[in-house]
Amino acid sequence: ISFDQPFYEPDQQFVGKELVGEDGKRLRARAMYGLGHVWAVRRNLDSSLAYFKAAVDEFPTYGDAWADMGVALMNTHRNAEAERVLQHAVFLEPQNHMYWFNYATLLGTQGRLDDARIAFNRVLSIRPDFEPAHRNIALIEKLSQKQKPSTASP
């Protein structure tokens, strides 16, 4: 999972204006989200999480901040929290294939292969050409075959 996303450019409509109301909340949340990415790239995930949390506190429907907070939680092995946060991200934006992909990846790393397969198939229903989901489904099939008991007799 990569945090290599471009940073937002300052929105010129807000330069020199008091940031109040919904627009101000959105812009402050975007700033916190950007700082979360800075710390994620530097591998300071505790600081990254704090900024992603500040972004969703400021603007609770900010799907990207929820999703990237989930990834940071995954990377700190806080899987129960990551699952809750990623579920919220897919609830906010159910057509976002990357949110589903990250959620499916978490399920797969927890060994919940059937749940992961369902979530990866959801990715492909949104974006059929998304190759990482195809590869992960093939991996799940391979792992599932290894987990099945052999019926051959000696």
Side-chain angles (χ1 to χ4, degrees):
I1 298 172
S2 174
F3 289 102
D4 297 342
Q5 295 185 12
F7 291 96
Y8 289 104
E9 290 295 319
D11 194 332
Q12 292 302 311
Q13 69 177 323
F14 298 112
V15 174
K17 296 182 181 171
E18 188 175 355
L19 299 177
V20 295
E22 203 68 15
D23 287 338
K25 285 184 176 211
R26 183 173 287 128
L27 190 59
R28 285 189 298 274
R30 285 172 54 177
M32 296 296 107
Y33 175 73
L35 289 169
H37 272 272
V38 168
W39 287 113
V41 168
R42 292 174 167 252
R43 306 310 278 166
N44 184 330
L45 296 178
D46 289 333
S47 293
S48 178
L49 283 166
Y51 281 107
F52 290 143
K53 173 99 172 64
V56 299
D57 286 347
E58 185 70 34
F59 200 74
T61 58
Y62 195 173
D64 285 347
W66 281 100
D68 289 349
M69 181 168 41
V71 171
L73 287 164
M74 282 174 56
N75 288 333
T76 57
H77 308 289
R78 293 159 62 182
N79 291 337
E81 289 176 85
E83 183 172 354
R84 180 184 56 78
V85 168
L86 289 168
Q87 284 174 340
H88 191 69
V90 298
F91 169 78
L92 289 172
E93 294 185 35
Q95 293 302 316
N96 188 305
H97 74 284
M98 285 305 302
Y99 297 2
W100 279 101
F101 181 80
N102 291 336
Y103 178 58
T105 300
L106 173 67
L107 296 172
T109 61
Q110 293 177 324
R112 295 166 55 190
L113 301 183
D114 291 335
D115 293 335
R117 181 184 298 113
I118 291 167
F120 282 124
N121 280 320
R122 176 74 170 134
V123 172
L124 295 175
S125 74
I126 298 165
R127 187 163 162 211
D129 63 337
F130 194 64
E131 191 56 37
H134 286 287
R135 283 194 304 268
N136 285 348
I137 288 173
L139 178 61
I140 287 171
E141 295 306 323
K142 188 175 182 179
L143 291 170
S144 295
Q145 291 300 318
K146 285 184 179 183
Q147 289 181 352
K148 289 183 181 176
S150 175
T151 57
S153 50

